[in-house]
Amino acid sequence: MKTRAITAFFFTIVMLGSMFLGPYVFSIFYLLLSLGALLEFFKLIKTAGIRPHRNIALIAATLIFLMTAGYHFLQFETKFLLLLVPLIFSVFISELYKKETIPFANISYTFVGFMYVTVPFCFFYSLGFIGHSAEYSFHLPLSFMLMLWANDTGAYLFGSKFGKTRLFERHSPKKSWEGFFGGMFTSLVVAYVLSLFFTELPVWAWGGMAILISSFGTLGDLVESMLKRSLNAKDSGNILPGHGGFLDRFDGLLIAAPVVYAYLYLILY
């Protein structure tokens, strides 16, 4: 617990600093974080004998993120995203030159890496630019993280104290419905406090954001647990002592961020 607390303290400072220090630091930090998480995903998958196209995927993932950033900074036309098409489909061509017994499994998991890791990080990153001004603001990404952390903390505390009814025992034996609703309650409290300081959303919208983060963040945790159990892995990595890897730390973000972005986009535009 001591190691876990120390890691959480310093990593939280780094994450908050990346948001407060402006759009360029924010961009670089989450680009590197998304690539680290993608590498962890491919490393996990390789334990099952599947060989995804890691190098092509890393180049494509970098370009996807940079083009997302370029769209927010330069407001260029979305048609330029079509430049990614040849690179993405080069995965199929590259497989022709590899002597593999399961070529389409390799191809499939390469694309799963994009959809499961890269795209959600791009949606989270885009929270920093959503709004009528389209200029960078740390309010929404910071709020997202605070509500996600509040949900995790509340779920742990309420689940430890009152947890009796299993939520999804097949994938996570320790999670309970009591913990789930405790986490949602904690996230709603944080959402209300944030609404007092950040006024770009009405109170009800902050509450809806908290409910979505709690619901889909929990599902994201379960999805990553399903992935690790299917591969007999305890953690996705060991880069964060006491926490495992990046995927372990951001599993809730991977499912919640696209949903929350869509929700906020529909409200704000």
Side-chain angles (χ1 to χ4, degrees):
M1 288 298 294
K2 183 179 179 181
T3 302
R4 185 180 178 89
I6 293 172
T7 302
F9 175 75
F10 284 105
F11 192 65
T12 299
I13 290 176
V14 172
M15 287 186 61
L16 294 178
S18 73
M19 297 179 191
F20 295 146
L21 292 175
Y24 296 108
V25 175
F26 181 66
S27 302
I28 293 169
F29 180 77
Y30 279 94
L31 167 61
L32 296 177
L33 194 60
S34 66
L35 293 176
L38 186 61
L39 278 171
E40 283 187 356
F41 175 78
F42 288 146
K43 186 177 179 180
L44 273 176
I45 293 302
K46 286 185 72 173
T47 62
I50 297 168
R51 298 173 60 83
H53 295 258
R54 187 186 67 179
N55 294 336
I56 293 176
L58 289 175
I59 295 171
T62 301
L63 289 176
I64 290 170
F65 195 98
L66 289 177
M67 293 190 81
T68 303
Y71 173 77
H72 293 305
F73 281 106
L74 306 174
Q75 284 79 50
F76 60 67
E77 294 184 47
T78 54
K79 67 181 181 181
F80 291 108
L81 293 173
L82 292 173
L83 295 172
L84 290 169
V85 171
L87 179 62
I88 290 174
F89 280 89
S90 68
V91 171
F92 292 89
I93 300 169
S94 177
E95 193 66 31
L96 289 172
Y97 297 93
K98 295 172 66 177
K99 297 179 181 179
E100 298 286 341
T101 56
I102 47 172
F104 271 84
N106 299 335
I107 293 169
S108 299
Y109 278 99
T110 303
F111 284 100
V112 169
F114 291 137
M115 293 305 299
Y116 181 55
V117 180
T118 304
V119 171
F121 268 104
C122 287
F123 274 113
F124 172 77
Y125 169 77
S126 295
L127 289 176
F129 299 87
I130 196 170
H132 293 292
S133 67
E135 295 181 357
Y136 173 73
S137 170
F138 65 83
H139 291 182
L140 288 174
L142 173 63
S143 299
F144 180 100
M145 281 300 182
L146 291 176
M147 283 188 261
L148 185 62
W149 292 337
N151 176 69
D152 291 344
T153 304
Y156 174 77
L157 294 176
F158 278 86
S160 300
K161 184 70 174 178
F162 305 107
K164 293 181 180 179
T165 311
R166 297 301 102 187
L167 176 65
F168 213 127
E169 193 167 7
R170 181 156 55 94
H171 294 304
S172 187
K174 295 181 179 180
K175 279 186 170 38
S176 65
W177 281 104
E178 292 83 1
F180 170 74
F181 287 113
M184 184 177 290
F185 169 76
T186 310
S187 189
L188 282 166
V189 170
V190 170
Y192 174 73
V193 174
L194 288 168
S195 72
L196 302 177
F197 295 93
F198 302 151
T199 58
E200 52 263 75
L201 294 174
V203 176
W204 64 265
W206 286 108
M209 185 176 170
I211 291 171
L212 289 176
I213 288 172
S214 296
S215 301
F216 288 92
T218 301
L219 289 171
D221 192 314
L222 291 168
V223 167
E224 204 236 353
S225 294
M226 178 175 66
L227 170 65
K228 290 189 294 186
R229 282 179 176 273
S230 69
L231 299 171
N232 294 315
K234 184 179 182 297
D235 295 314
S236 66
N238 54 14
I239 195 166
L240 300 173
H243 292 266
F246 292 131
L247 287 179
D248 297 314
R249 201 73 206 93
F250 294 96
D251 49 8
L253 178 151
L254 299 179
I255 303 296
V259 176
V260 170
Y261 182 87
Y263 166 76
L264 292 174
Y265 190 91
L266 292 172
I267 289 175
L268 293 171
Y269 293 98

